[in-house]
């Protein structure tokens, strides 16, 4: 909230301050995001070898797990490397959500077509824009090796978050 107030002191708009705060948080968390994307790319490269191991070991789950761990160690890939950085970011985003949700500074503050950043977007433009941008970001990011998981990440999550943001304060969606 202090950082957002500081940005507001420079730009004079709470909407722009929210955007600058979000960009700052994204920039600070970029090393974690990069590490996660590199790990997912490494796992995807190993997918053909993992499929060979599945065929080789069949029902021997313990043997498969040992061989898979050896493969990961050999190629210096971590199974948790893709998810762990994302999990570390979650508290930051929840804190940002809480700060924006309880910020009295946003009450009755207009931004673009919205008359109040503490109420939902009356035309649902922000949730739609968020869903479209989320879909595009998913399309541009490295996809998981599993096709079902990739499809869920590409379609389900942008749709889920769009629906979730339809009725929250527009400052949060922004």
């Amino acid at each position: 909230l202090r950082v957002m107030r500081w940005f507001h002191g420079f730009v004079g708009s709470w909407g722009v301050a929210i955007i600058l705060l979000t960009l700052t948080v994204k920039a600070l968390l970029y090393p974690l995001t990069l590490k996660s994307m590199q790990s997912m790319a490494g796992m995807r490269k190993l997918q053909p070898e993992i499929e060979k191991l599945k065929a080789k070991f069949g029902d021997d789950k313990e043997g498969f797990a040992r061989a898979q761990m050896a493969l990961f160690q050999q190629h210096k890939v971590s199974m948790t490397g893709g998810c762990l950085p994302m999990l570390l970011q979650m508290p930051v985003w929840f804190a940002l959500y809480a700060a924006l949700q309880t910020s009295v500074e946003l009450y009755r503050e207009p931004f673009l077509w919205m008359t109040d950043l503490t109420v939902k977007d009356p035309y649902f433009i922000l949730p739609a824009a968020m869903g479209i941008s989320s879909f595009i970001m998913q399309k541009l990011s490295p996809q998981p090796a599993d096709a079902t998981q990739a499809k869920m990440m590409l379609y389900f999550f942008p749709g889920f978050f769009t629906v979730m943001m339809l009725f929250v304060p527009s400052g949060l969606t922004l």
Side-chain angles (χ1 to χ4, degrees):
L1 190 56
R2 274 189 225 128
V3 174
M4 190 170 66
R5 285 183 188 140
W6 185 75
F7 281 134
H8 180 262
F10 282 112
V11 296
S13 167
W14 286 107
V16 175
I18 291 170
I19 293 169
L20 291 174
L21 176 65
T22 305
L23 291 173
T24 302
V25 171
K26 286 294 278 182
L28 290 173
L29 294 176
Y30 181 73
L32 291 174
T33 303
L34 182 63
K35 184 76 174 162
S36 175
M37 287 173 38
Q38 288 171 338
S39 180
M40 285 192 295
M43 293 287 282
R44 193 175 57 250
K45 285 180 185 173
L46 291 178
Q47 195 61 33
E49 292 186 47
I50 292 172
E51 292 300 321
K52 288 178 189 173
L53 289 176
K54 281 182 185 175
K56 178 180 177 184
F57 286 96
D59 290 337
D60 182 13
K61 294 193 186 287
E62 193 174 308
F64 170 72
R66 279 195 303 270
Q68 185 179 23
M69 292 306 271
L71 180 69
F72 289 158
Q73 286 175 346
Q74 177 186 359
H75 291 278
K76 294 180 175 52
V77 173
S78 172
M79 286 180 65
T80 60
C83 297
L84 189 60
M86 286 184 210
L87 288 175
L88 293 173
Q89 293 178 40
M90 292 306 289
V92 174
W93 291 115
F94 284 129
L96 181 59
Y97 177 84
L100 290 173
Q101 190 174 24
T102 59
S103 175
V104 295
E105 288 85 352
L106 302 178
Y107 185 65
R108 295 196 178 168
E109 283 295 323
F111 183 66
L112 300 175
W113 65 90
M114 296 165 287
T115 56
D116 186 351
L117 287 170
T118 61
V119 298
K120 70 179 180 74
D121 181 349
Y123 306 112
F124 303 110
I125 295 169
L126 281 178
M130 191 211 64
I132 292 167
S133 66
S134 181
F135 178 80
I136 291 168
M137 291 306 295
Q138 285 296 330
K139 201 79 163 145
L140 295 174
S141 66
Q143 296 299 313
D146 181 24
T148 307
Q149 186 181 13
K151 209 176 247 188
M152 187 176 89
M153 296 288 281
L154 182 62
Y155 297 108
F156 176 74
F157 284 119
F160 174 76
F161 284 114
T162 300
V163 170
M164 193 171 80
M165 293 305 207
L166 288 175
F167 301 104
V168 299
S170 56
L172 290 172
T173 310
L174 181 63

